[in-house]
Amino acid sequence: MKRFILLLLLICAPVLKAQKDTLKAALPEIVVSATRVPTSSIQLASSFTLFSHSEIVNSQKLNVIDLLREAPGLSVTQAGGMGTMSNVFIRGANPYHTLVILDGAVVNDPSTPSGAFDFSSLTTDNIERIEIVRGPQSTLYGSDAIAGIINIFTQRPAEGFKVRLNAETGSNNLYKGDLSALGSLGKLGYSLSYLKLKTDGVSAASSKYGNTEKDGFENNVFTANLNYSVLENITAGLIYRYTKSNGGLDQNEKLGDDPNFTMNFEENLVRGSVRGEFYKGKWEWEAGIANVRKITHIDDGKDTAHPDMSSTSFTNGTRTKLDWLNTLNLIENNKITIGFETETERANSNYFSESMWGPYNTEFAEQSLRTTGLFAQDQFSYAGRFFGTAGVRYDKNERFGGEFTFRIAPAYVINSTGTKLKATYGTGFKAPSLYYLFDPMYGNRDLKPEKSEGWDAGIEQFLFNYRLSLGVTYFRINFDDMFGMDKNYKTINVAKARTEGIEFTVYYNAEKFKVNANYTYTNAVDKSTASAEYGLPLIRRPKHKAVLEIDYAPMADLNINSSVVYTGAREDKDFSAYPAARVTLPDYTLFNIAASYKISRFFSVNASLENVFDKYYEDVLYYGTLGRNFTVGVSINY
């Protein structure tokens, strides 16, 4: 406790001095994801979080999952150190209830049983901004956006020419190098980047129980973002991103050390688009086609600890999507959005193992599924005080037929007091994955989609010319027809759940410092009346989470970023036992600090220290996490 108070005093001290800075009117943030068109944040009823480029750089987080840990309404789990499975829970929902979009392409994995996105290989380099919208978003985004979306944008082309070289080293023999260049050549704009990261890591199976073998990680990422001005009002774009990583894994038990357990991952993302503007901006449109392919190979060879066991698995998933978005500015104070999307998922896999019971082999032959959606939304305003969106969507799936969703989101601003009242109500759905439908052992071709019904209501108070923002929001999401197992282990629509809670946010933006504080209370419970766990908490969701982050620039060339992240106790299950027994994982608090200094116009240095007090904790039972770790680096910008 003394160390906690001391560190809080150290990181809060700049605040007292900076209070003397002259306050200037803050420009409202522009958000795209909540309405699919650029919208001032003051007009939005949606609960959202935005990580800007400067905030990402100043935090010095290497991985996106560590950045998301600090967002309100989100909790994260990581099954080991860097490069191990990393999931996000929005407002207590399952990880596969979150749609993840990268540069306009959906990156949820169709080859996994649930279709969730694994953040293990997603680093923060070259990311321009991240937008998170909480609550059902299926009206604009279709399946998987049943609890919210995470929309990630990499750096876009820019005027002129800029190049950046960054090199870092740190704990666990970590090194990282990334090179990026962006600029323009006539009508062609470009943004190119390459990253290589490698670390010895820590044991994925927690060292607390005597596991010592380190599970390393290596990651290579190349990104190209191009646009070409075809005509004055028409622009073509092309995005390509290639990721290749490999790392060590361990078994999910106390003595889980496994030196021959490895995972190799490869992802190819390509998206082409054409954007146009006609009739003096009254009609704006964008047509795009994206293809994302993920290949995963997991190998577990025999070793002294497992002399009779070995296995290998291969999964191949592809998602191809065609979309057309139109924005009509025909009626004063109304912005109408009409969109069409059609998406095909494909996947196949193979698993082979050997043990004392003999060889075992199962194959999931390639299956595909198409979903086509049409949606419309009206974004309107009245008298500069009342703002709102209302939208409807219809999706047609080859297996379960049609699904209708809708959403309304009004907001009212009292300009004289700087007060915003907001509320949203919407429905969402999650289509069954290819695995749940077609797996020869567990699949069920008659599955219906999971459904959600969610609403929230809150108030935001703005002070000091919008420099200070105070907010509180109550939320509730009901989930129905969730996927579960019958007595023969076939997947059926049987489960129900409810999540509800409160999000408190404080954001202060002064000339030299920013303060971001948030607290989330989440109560996520099983509501399946036929289940033995009816009324019990859903596992791995903390009821309490709190964050305090301060970004301070005492001089033009120096920046200091510090954060405190508290994660409350949560329940998990010991899946190494049968039946799996419930356990409680203790709460924990992480302290982090980072600093950067610009030595000259072209040269800067940076350093960070994560988990300052070397706190031991587990996000997932029996899996390790990083203790105290540091990085130091240099950057050359031209």
Side-chain angles (χ1 to χ4, degrees), residues 617-637:
Y617 65 98
E618 292 178 16
D619 281 333
V620 180
L621 181 65
Y622 299 144
Y623 281 100
T625 50
L626 288 175
R628 181 190 298 114
N629 62 99
F630 73 92
T631 61
V632 293
V634 296
S635 296
I636 299 174
N637 295 270

Side-chain angles (χ1 to χ4, degrees), residues 218-282:
E218 182 175 350
N219 199 20
N220 294 270
V221 184
F222 171 76
T223 304
N225 191 333
L226 309 175
N227 64 40
Y228 185 79
S229 210
V230 181
L231 297 172
E232 184 179 354
N233 60 336
I234 297 179
T235 304
L238 178 66
I239 294 171
Y240 175 71
R241 183 178 177 92
Y242 175 75
T243 303
K244 184 176 177 60
S245 66
N246 58 78
L249 303 174
D250 279 333
Q251 306 293 334
N252 61 336
E253 52 193 23
K254 277 187 178 181
L255 302 177
D257 260 351
D258 197 329
N260 297 319
F261 199 178
T262 60
M263 180 179 74
N264 296 284
F265 171 77
E266 184 175 337
E267 179 185 70
N268 282 274
L269 181 156
V270 60
R271 184 176 189 268
S273 63
V274 180
R275 297 181 295 275
E277 181 179 313
F278 298 95
Y279 307 113
K280 298 181 179 180
K282 293 185 180 297

Side-chain angles (χ1 to χ4, degrees), residues 20 40 98 138 182 221 233 289 329 398 406-407 436-437 443 469 488 532 583 614:
K20 299 178 182 179
S40 171
T98 296
S138 288
L182 62 155
V221 184
N233 60 336
I289 183 170
N329 303 289
E398 286 182 335
F406 69 93
R407 186 172 184 268
Y436 288 148
L437 285 169
S469 169
N488 297 316
V583 298
D614 199 23

